[in-house]
Amino acid sequence: MNYMLRLAAILLFALAGHQAQAQTADPRLQDMAIGRADAPVTIVEYASLTCPHCASFHATVLPVLKSEYVDTGKVRLIFRDFPLDQLALAGAAIARCAGPERYFSFLDVLFSQQRAWATASDPRAALTQIARLGGMSSEQVEACFSDQPINDYILNSRLEGNQKFNVTSTPTLIVNGKNLPGVPNVDEFRKLLDDLVASGAKSAAPAGGGLPQAAGSGDWLGGNAKTYIAIAIVVLLVAGISIFLLRKR
């Protein structure tokens, strides 16, 4: 009887720990993506915020990709940082500090205004001004520049891109796990994506499987939380019935 009660307590404690970990995970330290998770095509873009070719891609190709493929559920787009310099690292940190809800809005502004802030006499001041217009305070921006977990995550993103996918320049696109040679124009992209969507091709897992989460964000219970809850309830019910029957004797 004591064993069963202890087992139920352990299961409930594990579940509580799982929920606490989920609450303390830093949402800024994860892949930033748009589009359905079960889309037939997954594109991972490695880009640097100071890269002119990346800015051009975001101004010309990405709007078509988003409206025709992402918004229609055909493509999932994951953006990963590949900073080419310290300024790109600072810009990437600002976007992540803005949080998942505003992340892609900040990317849009940073790419569209790239020439203005990246070539300014004081680029960090220009970045700060953009961030403040986006709702961040000067103190938050300064804290973001020196946020070690965020900076480490961004640099790890670059390292992973280089080691796993041989990324050496930006932008580089990984389509369903394969490194796409060069950057196609809109028409070339349409043909490539239409063929992939038609064939229903999709790699077994998204490219790279995502970067490690922040410390304390592990999910060792995975998708089995409901199972553990059910087991704990059953054990408690059995224990309660047994105690009731013993007392009746």
Side-chain angles (χ1 to χ4, degrees):
M1 181 59 59
N2 289 336
Y3 167 78
M4 297 176 69
L5 291 173
R6 286 199 300 270
L7 176 59
I10 289 170
L11 289 171
L12 291 174
F13 177 78
L15 178 63
H18 163 73
Q19 293 174 332
Q21 286 179 342
Q23 292 172 354
T24 57
D26 191 336
R28 304 172 304 170
L29 306 183
Q30 62 184 6
D31 271 338
M32 298 295 183
I34 52 175
R36 286 172 44 184
D38 61 347
V41 179
T42 297
I43 299 175
V44 179
E45 177 194 0
Y46 282 95
S48 171
L49 284 169
T50 53
C51 159
H53 293 295
C54 300
S56 176
F57 175 79
H58 275 251
T60 59
V61 179
L62 187 60
V64 175
L65 174 64
K66 186 175 183 302
S67 64
E68 295 184 12
Y69 296 94
V70 175
D71 293 345
T72 56
K74 299 175 183 177
V75 169
R76 179 172 177 80
L77 176 68
I78 300 172
F79 183 91
R80 290 184 185 159
D81 297 296
F82 196 90
L84 298 178
D85 48 47
Q86 288 295 317
L87 190 53
L89 175 62
I94 289 294
R96 285 195 170 271
C97 284
E101 297 80 8
R102 295 185 293 171
Y103 180 77
F104 283 96
S105 296
F106 265 75
L107 280 191
D108 289 343
V109 172
L110 290 171
F111 274 125
S112 65
Q113 300 297 317
Q114 184 188 83
R115 287 188 179 182
W117 63 267
T119 61
S121 57
D122 188 345
R124 282 175 66 104
L127 274 177
T128 300
Q129 181 62 25
I130 290 174
R132 291 188 63 187
L133 290 173
M136 297 174 66
S137 67
S138 298
E139 292 76 16
Q140 288 174 320
V141 175
E142 286 303 315
C144 183
F145 284 144
S146 58
D147 190 311
Q148 199 59 47
I150 282 184
N151 281 273
D152 288 346
Y153 187 91
I154 294 168
L155 293 174
N156 191 35
S157 171
R158 177 188 166 112
L159 181 64
E160 182 201 49
N162 178 255
Q163 292 182 341
K164 289 190 176 182
F165 305 112
N166 196 32
V167 177
T168 57
S169 61
T170 56
T172 292
L173 303 175
I174 313 298
V175 181
N176 279 359
K178 297 181 180 180
N179 192 322
L180 190 67
V183 179
N185 59 37
V186 170
D187 291 334
E188 292 170 336
F189 226 146
R190 282 194 180 109
K191 184 178 185 313
L192 170 67
L193 295 178
D194 287 343
D195 289 345
L196 287 173
V197 171
S199 64
K202 185 175 176 71
S203 57
L211 295 177
Q213 300 298 307
S217 64
D219 190 7
W220 68 274
L221 285 177
N224 297 320
K226 291 183 179 179
T227 301
Y228 281 91
I229 293 173
I231 293 173
I233 291 173
V234 170
V235 171
L236 286 171
L237 285 173
V238 171
I241 292 171
S242 299
I243 291 172
F244 174 77
L245 292 175
L246 286 172
R247 287 180 176 177
K248 293 289 285 185
R249 291 180 185 178

